[in-house]
Amino acid sequence: MQNKALVWFKNDLRIQDNTSLRKATQGHESVIAVYCFDPRQFAADQFGFKKTEKFRAQFLIETIEDLKAQLANLRIPLYTFFGTPEKNIPELIAKHTITTLYSQHEWTPEESFCIARVVDKIPPTISWIKSYDQFLFHPDDIPMTIVQIPTVFSNFRKQCEKHSSIRPLVHPQPKAPSNYFDTQTVIPTLTTLGLDSFETDVRSAFPFCGGATHAWRRIHNYLWETQKLSYYKKTRNGLVGTDYSSKFSSWLANGSISPRQLFYEIKKYEATVVKNESTYWLIFELIWRDFFKYISLKHRHKIFSPNGLSNKKPHSILHKDHVSAWIHGSTPYPFVNANMLELKHTGWMSNRGRQNVASYFAKELRLDWRIGAAYFESLLIDYDVHSNYGNWLYVAGLGNDPRDRTFNIALQAERYDATQKYRRLWLQTALF
């Protein structure tokens, strides 16, 4: 019997530095791949928001188109379905007499539920190999067990920087021409997914396309063409334009690039251009990203509970008018409004904006933080389950901020938008 493997792509949508793809192509004569646009990810959540709205969905569609082309270069066919994994993966396994299934390891509730459903539908003889492939520091390499993950980020960062190393990149092996064939499956459109089509807002700070090809174009531009990385720490709290921050988060979120790839590209930059506080700060941000993943891995479903990681009584207010005013940018704070309108019209918001609007929602309005987190999940192009919910808990005072700060929004607006350029950009009603 031919040794056949199936690679199930999820949030690891790249061919380079993909452990599952590397293992499959190295160890099997024949390899096929699959991506499922799970209808549950485009349905309404408990708060009435579509779990994935049009901005992130379009970015995902572009990413899968790019992934399919790159896999074709390796002579690996990609099946794409608008359907549940528990239906389509068992059918592929049976049709192609698959012996081994490869996928990225997941642990959050919805992903675990989906995996359990697939397990129930595939033969017990199938070998399922899962890899932790979304970290900078691999779980086997950190100087602590998962239950020992510190509550405070700085403790985690210092221990990992001192005692851990970053694993080398891995690369897939092309398959024989006979391995490739036309799957006769199609990548869904926004319409197929039940979403509205749109044109990119000319004011958007994120006018980029999905996929590894576009991710590397952005990396090349930000690092090598413009050398903006050299000034990242000074500009990262900006609000207007494409270059105040790296904008890498969207490609990292769906795995078009890996944190290891970005780490080694920064190291190359440091070796050939400059090594300074700004180059380190982008690595620092990658470690923050890791930290929230480890917090999620340690606490599992608690990061979605009303009181998060704390013993505090959470705010459980559902004031629909206040939520609506926040969403549509009609609060008493122009700075909050500008940020919320940017999110509404583009699917993007700066880190500085996210902290302010989340603090206003959870601390000043005293609303249920999970509603805000769910709205971000729906709209943000760079939504990542661990960072989104970890950051919302942090700002709401129910997570990993030992100081439990509340943002002074008027002061923040004066500091980061002193000329009101950002507020004018988004609050001129004639533009929308």
Side-chain angles (χ1 to χ4, degrees), residues 123-138:
T125 54
I126 298 297
S127 175
W128 191 338
I129 299 175
K130 302 171 187 174
S131 301
Y132 284 110
D133 214 23
Q134 51 186 288
F135 293 92
L136 181 63
F137 296 108
H138 191 280

Side-chain angles (χ1 to χ4, degrees), residues 333-352:
Y333 290 102
F335 191 59
V336 169
N337 297 341
N339 277 285
M340 294 305 297
L341 288 170
E342 180 182 20
L343 177 61
K344 177 181 178 181
H345 290 286
T346 70
W348 180 264
M349 189 192 298
S350 69
N351 179 62
R352 182 56 47 184

Side-chain angles (χ1 to χ4, degrees), residues 11-147:
N11 284 329
D12 54 347
L13 304 177
R14 61 186 182 274
I15 64 170
Q16 297 299 329
D17 199 37
N18 186 312
T19 304
S20 294
L21 190 62
R22 166 65 176 177
K23 290 178 178 179
T25 58
Q26 187 177 36
H28 297 269
E29 183 179 347
S30 178
V31 178
I32 62 173
V34 62
Y35 183 84
C36 297
F37 290 80
D38 191 332
R40 291 170 295 217
Q41 292 302 311
F42 303 92
D45 64 15
Q46 62 177 318
F47 302 113
F49 307 123
K50 287 198 173 183
K51 288 187 67 63
T52 306
E53 258 293 356
K54 59 186 178 183
F55 300 114
R56 181 155 51 90
Q58 181 60 37
F59 194 79
L60 174 61
I61 290 167
E62 293 162 354
T63 301
I64 298 302
E65 291 171 344
D66 188 67
L67 176 65
K68 184 174 183 178
Q70 294 202 35
L71 284 169
N73 290 333
L74 295 175
R75 297 184 288 274
I76 296 173
L78 175 67
Y79 283 88
T80 55
F81 299 103
F82 180 38
T84 63
E86 62 263 29
K87 176 183 184 297
N88 292 295
I89 288 177
E91 290 177 354
L92 283 179
I93 287 174
K95 179 179 178 180
H96 295 280
T97 59
I98 298 296
T99 58
T100 309
L101 175 62
Y102 291 88
S103 71
Q104 181 171 268
H105 192 76
E106 305 283 354
W107 58 88
T108 40
E110 291 178 4
E111 289 74 14
S112 297
F113 170 80
C114 181
I115 288 169
R117 296 288 295 270
V118 174
V119 168
D120 287 342
K121 298 292 180 66
I122 63 176
T125 54
I126 298 297
S127 175
W128 191 338
I129 299 175
K130 302 171 187 174
S131 301
Y132 284 110
D133 214 23
Q134 51 186 288
F135 293 92
L136 181 63
F137 296 108
H138 191 280
D140 291 341
D141 301 337
I142 60 174
M144 63 200 82
T145 64
I146 299 303
V147 296

Side-chain angles (χ1 to χ4, degrees), residues 150-315:
T151 301
V152 178
F153 167 71
S154 59
N155 295 336
F156 172 81
R157 174 183 60 81
K158 290 173 183 177
Q159 290 187 55
C160 288
E161 288 180 329
K162 184 176 181 180
H163 299 291
S164 302
S165 58
I166 311 302
R167 292 189 173 188
L169 304 179
V170 299
H171 307 287
Q173 295 182 357
K175 305 311 294 178
S178 58
N179 186 78
Y180 185 78
F181 55 88
D182 187 347
T183 65
Q184 300 297 313
T185 59
V186 297
I187 298 171
T189 64
L190 287 176
T191 301
T192 307
L193 299 175
L195 301 170
D196 296 330
S197 59
F198 66 96
E199 293 185 4
T200 301
D201 194 299
V202 295
R203 298 166 291 176
S204 178
F206 193 88
F208 306 107
C209 296
T213 299
H214 290 278
W216 281 102
R217 286 177 187 169
R218 174 61 178 174
I219 291 170
H220 182 71
N221 176 263
Y222 192 76
L223 272 65
W224 304 108
E225 291 181 344
T226 66
Q227 299 186 357
K228 297 288 186 182
L229 176 58
S230 299
Y231 312 99
Y232 170 72
K233 193 170 189 291
K234 297 178 181 179
T235 64
R236 65 191 177 90
N237 283 312
L239 299 165
V240 179
T242 59
D243 290 337
Y244 63 79
S245 66
S246 73
K247 305 296 192 297
F248 298 150
S249 58
S250 297
W251 294 290
L252 283 166
N254 70 15
S256 296
I257 53 174
S258 75
R260 290 186 299 263
Q261 286 178 300
L262 191 50
F263 172 84
Y264 283 116
E265 198 71 11
I266 296 167
K267 286 299 179 182
K268 189 189 306 180
Y269 184 91
E270 289 181 332
T272 57
V273 180
V274 68
K275 180 179 181 180
N276 61 18
E277 194 175 21
S278 286
T279 61
Y280 167 72
W281 210 258
L282 194 51
I283 295 173
F284 179 91
E285 298 291 356
L286 289 176
I287 301 174
W288 255 116
R289 182 178 177 274
D290 253 26
F291 178 64
F292 281 132
K293 290 186 180 296
Y294 278 110
I295 289 297
S296 168
L297 188 56
K298 176 181 179 179
H299 295 284
R300 304 295 175 112
H301 67 279
K302 286 189 70 177
I303 69 168
F304 305 99
S305 64
N307 65 328
L309 312 183
S310 77
N311 295 318
K312 301 176 184 178
K313 183 178 180 180
H315 303 312

